[in-house]
Amino acid sequence: MKILMASAAAIGAMSVGASAENSGPVRIGVLTDVSGQFSHESGDGAITAVKMAVEDFGGKVLDRPLEVVVADHQNKPEVAVATAREWYESQGVTMINNLINSGIALAVTQVAKDEDKIAIVNGSGSSRLTNDGCTPNSIHYSYDTYALANGTASQLISQGMKNWFFLTADYAFGHALEADATQIVKADGGEVSGSVRYPIETSDHSAFMLQAQASPAQVVALAGSGTTFVNAVKSASEFGLGASGKTVAGLLVWDTDVHSLGLDTAQGMILTNAFYWDRDDETRAFAKRFQERVGRPPHMGDAGDYSSTIHYLKAVQSAGTTDTQQVMAKMRETPVNDFFAKNGKIREDGRMVHDMYVYQVKTPAESAGEWDILKLVTTIPGDKAFRPLSESQCPLVK
């Protein structure tokens, strides 16, 4: 197990027990993919964002020093669960953030429930986290598969593209994204002509692309993330799916994916996002500070990691304690108003509701710089973006 340690102040002796709970450091964990296929969507960016939040908060809360503990979960649920349990039980960690990889997020949020600690998900997208997998101890902050599918599917169907084919990564996130998109496509009068699932470690999409190419679908929707998503888009381009008249839709597209693909390949793609660094003066100000550290602008995961950490620390300060349920109550009752979201609200199912945005990838001619990659198509109000509570299977919803 690879574990890294970092601190907002000098890291001293790691005392635990009753005295640590009252006067020792308050520890925040960042459980993320440091070196694997999702590291470009989390990793150093997530770690930096949480550290920046701790520093901007002043490095302490309730007169106790703040420390950040970091681990690489290696995309192995057993590693993530063991790390989370150790942090909560013996390392004084009160909140774990990021949790990219939906299978890991679903597992660790259950550990948080068992240990009565807090887990905040920014890296993962499965809408199960606030549906049948919800807990009273977890928050799904940045985005989810329902909102992504809702924005992109609705936009393309409004343009007359009603016949869909899914190329889906074979793990929890991909399954959830395909299921949510299928529901929305059919609700909007569209149809699904087929789907195929690929292993998340695959580098050869040829057989899958041939099936997509042979389908009558107008839209080939890629339900995946990380390097396999990038490889799938490149493969779609090599197989000429776009040239044959099909629209390739990315149901989760990170800024880093677009940058990796290049505008020549990604131009024109419709995508849904929670945050774009060049949206307004506030986002640009945060992006400038972040880029000085990481070498690239922040994406929605990074922005969510920062915003949710600040929100958590404000709730601890307001509650006057790190007690989980008191802090969760404060987080739910306090709106989120910062560069990430305006009038964001954490519902009883753990979903942080905020506006989402449909973007189109710019052409090379439209771009003014390396990271000038997206143009806004439309804004989706928060109450329209996410799954309504009336459709929720979360047992916490009354």
Side-chain angles (χ1 to χ4, degrees):
M1 182 187 306
K2 180 180 178 183
I3 297 182
L4 312 170
M5 301 291 293
S7 174
I11 298 179
M14 295 185 65
S15 60
V16 295
S19 61
E21 291 178 4
N22 296 321
S23 59
V26 174
R27 294 194 175 96
I28 294 172
V30 184
L31 191 50
T32 188
D33 179 359
V34 174
S35 56
Q37 67 163 301
F38 303 119
S39 58
H40 294 296
E41 292 78 43
S42 55
D44 288 343
I47 296 163
T48 299
V50 172
K51 286 183 181 179
M52 287 176 66
V54 166
E55 292 167 10
D56 289 350
F57 201 77
K60 63 181 181 179
V61 65
L62 305 179
D63 292 323
R64 296 166 60 185
L66 286 166
E67 294 182 356
V68 178
V69 185
V70 177
D72 184 352
H73 59 50
Q74 304 168 49
N75 291 303
K76 298 177 180 177
E78 67 275 16
V79 172
V81 166
T83 302
R85 201 172 297 281
E86 179 187 357
W87 279 356
Y88 286 145
E89 288 182 350
S90 64
Q91 300 301 321
V93 171
T94 56
M95 184 270 276
I96 295 176
N97 209 331
N98 190 250
L99 296 171
I100 199 162
N101 185 319
S102 289
I104 281 169
L106 286 161
V108 171
T109 54
Q110 292 300 316
V111 176
K113 178 184 176 182
D114 294 344
E115 301 292 339
D116 196 27
K117 302 296 183 182
I118 293 173
I120 302 179
V121 181
N122 280 292
S124 304
S126 174
S127 62
R128 286 190 58 205
L129 287 157
T130 54
N131 203 31
D132 61 302
C134 73
T135 84
N137 294 62
S138 55
I139 297 168
H140 203 181
Y141 202 86
S142 290
Y143 72 100
D144 66 23
T145 51
Y146 184 96
L148 296 178
N150 186 20
T152 302
S154 296
Q155 182 65 33
L156 290 175
I157 288 175
S158 73
Q159 298 175 15
M161 301 180 197
K162 294 189 174 183
N163 195 323
W164 287 56
F165 183 96
F166 288 94
L167 183 60
T168 301
D170 193 10
Y171 75 120
F173 169 77
H175 301 169
L177 193 49
E178 179 185 340
D180 286 335
T182 296
Q183 177 186 347
I184 290 161
V185 166
K186 291 182 176 179
D188 286 348
E191 62 178 312
V192 176
S193 61
S195 66
V196 62
R197 291 179 174 176
Y198 64 88
I200 63 172
E201 299 295 340
T202 190
S203 58
D204 183 4
H205 291 82
S206 302
F208 312 119
M209 288 300 164
L210 287 172
Q211 292 182 59
Q213 195 172 47
S215 79
Q218 298 162 289
V219 178
V220 176
L222 304 180
S225 184
T227 55
T228 54
F229 167 77
V230 172
N231 290 337
V233 176
K234 290 178 179 177
S235 183
S237 178
E238 291 166 2
F239 272 77
L241 262 64
S244 70
K246 297 184 186 298
T247 294
V248 177
L251 294 179
L252 171 58
V253 185
W254 299 89
D255 297 358
T256 46
D257 295 336
V258 176
H259 184 263
S260 178
L261 288 164
L263 297 185
D264 283 332
T265 299
Q267 62 182 305
M269 185 181 291
I270 296 291
L271 59 96
T272 302
N273 212 319
F275 171 88
Y276 181 50
W277 71 270
D278 199 22
R279 191 175 71 215
D280 55 39
D281 289 343
E282 283 186 283
T283 61
R284 285 187 284 271
F286 176 73
K288 183 176 185 296
R289 294 198 299 132
F290 183 90
Q291 187 162 6
E292 288 171 352
R293 297 188 179 209
V294 179
R296 62 163 176 80
H299 52 53
M300 63 179 170
D302 305 318
D305 287 322
Y306 178 97
S307 174
S308 59
T309 300
I310 289 287
H311 192 63
Y312 166 76
L313 292 172
K314 287 180 177 178
V316 170
Q317 190 70 53
S318 178
T321 178
T322 57
D323 175 78
T324 294
Q325 295 311 319
Q326 292 186 60
V327 172
M328 287 293 294
K330 286 292 182 183
M331 293 182 77
R332 291 190 194 99
E333 71 185 37
T334 308
V336 178
N337 279 298
D338 58 14
F339 70 88
F340 179 77
K342 300 301 180 190
N343 296 314
K345 180 70 175 177
I346 298 170
R347 299 190 310 203
E348 56 264 47
D349 61 350
R351 176 68 258 163
M352 203 281 269
V353 176
H354 52 81
D355 292 351
M356 294 288 288
Y357 306 90
V358 178
Y359 289 100
Q360 184 172 34
V361 177
K362 290 184 174 182
T363 66
E366 292 172 321
S367 175
E370 181 182 6
W371 288 96
D372 180 24
I373 56 176
L374 303 179
K375 56 185 178 183
L376 183 66
V377 175
T378 189
T379 299
I380 309 172
D383 60 351
K384 303 294 184 184
F386 295 95
R387 187 191 311 275
L389 286 176
S390 60
E391 297 178 8
S392 177
Q393 299 175 39
C394 173
L396 302 173
V397 176
K398 296 180 174 59

